[in-house]
Amino acid sequence: MNILCVCLGNICRSPAAEGILRNLAIQKDLDIMVDSAGTGGWHIGDHPDRRSIEICKKHNIDITHLISRKVNEKDGKEFDLILCMDYSNIESTKAIIAPEFHHKIQLFDEREVGDPYYGMYDGFENMFLQLEKAAHCWLEKIKPDLV
Ligand code: 4NP
């Protein structure tokens, strides 16, 4: 199973989501490949925002090595599940990948994961907790499909 996490810049929310999902999958011994990408290209080649790195590190998850990339058309075919942080990301991702793959695109959580980029550090703490909870739910949901 291949999962792509998507946000706008691929430096705050989706790299954290990638790290959280990968970490949980390893803990649960689930065979899942996780990646992340952004719908905007401003941060291509950048490492995650230091606040995302910090909040993940606090929870023993290392995302320092990740590098931002943009969502591309091939992602539609390559990934089984494309999990977006907000509705705007969903719309932008739909504009990039072919309609036959749009059924793979879903919201990462039941509600949008707000963009913490322009806010304070507590926004990143809330983001982490929301992502972690939703990641648990996804892995429970897809576990039966992996055996
Ligand atoms: P992200 O946050 O989508 O969670 O990575 C953002 C990072 C950068 C920008 C916007 C959102 N930006 O406009 O540069």
Side-chain angles (χ1 to χ4, degrees), residues 16 18 33 36 38-39 41-42 49 71 74 93 105 116 135 141-142 144:
E18 175 183 346
M33 193 281 269
S36 65
T39 58
W42 313 285
D49 186 282
V71 177
K74 283 187 286 181
T93 303
I105 304 172
K141 200 165 160 179
I142 63 183

Side-chain angles (χ1 to χ4, degrees), residues 6-10 37-42 69-71 88-89 92-93 96:
V6 174
C7 64
L8 180 59
N10 192 212
T39 58
W42 313 285
R69 73 166 178 91
K70 195 169 184 284
V71 177
S88 164
N89 303 152
S92 304
T93 303
I96 298 170

Side-chain angles (χ1 to χ4, degrees), residues 7-15 42-43 49 85 89 114-118 127:
C7 64
L8 180 59
N10 192 212
I11 55 165
C12 297
R13 292 166 291 176
S14 60
W42 313 285
H43 292 281
D49 186 282
M85 298 298 142
N89 303 152
D115 186 351
Y117 185 61
Y118 294 105
M127 171 200 78

Side-chain angles (χ1 to χ4, degrees), residues 20-30 59 61 136:
I20 291 167
L21 268 180
R22 181 176 296 119
N23 211 51
L24 269 182
I26 291 169
Q27 275 176 26
K28 292 172 182 278
D29 199 22
L30 299 174
H59 294 264
I61 297 171
H136 267 287

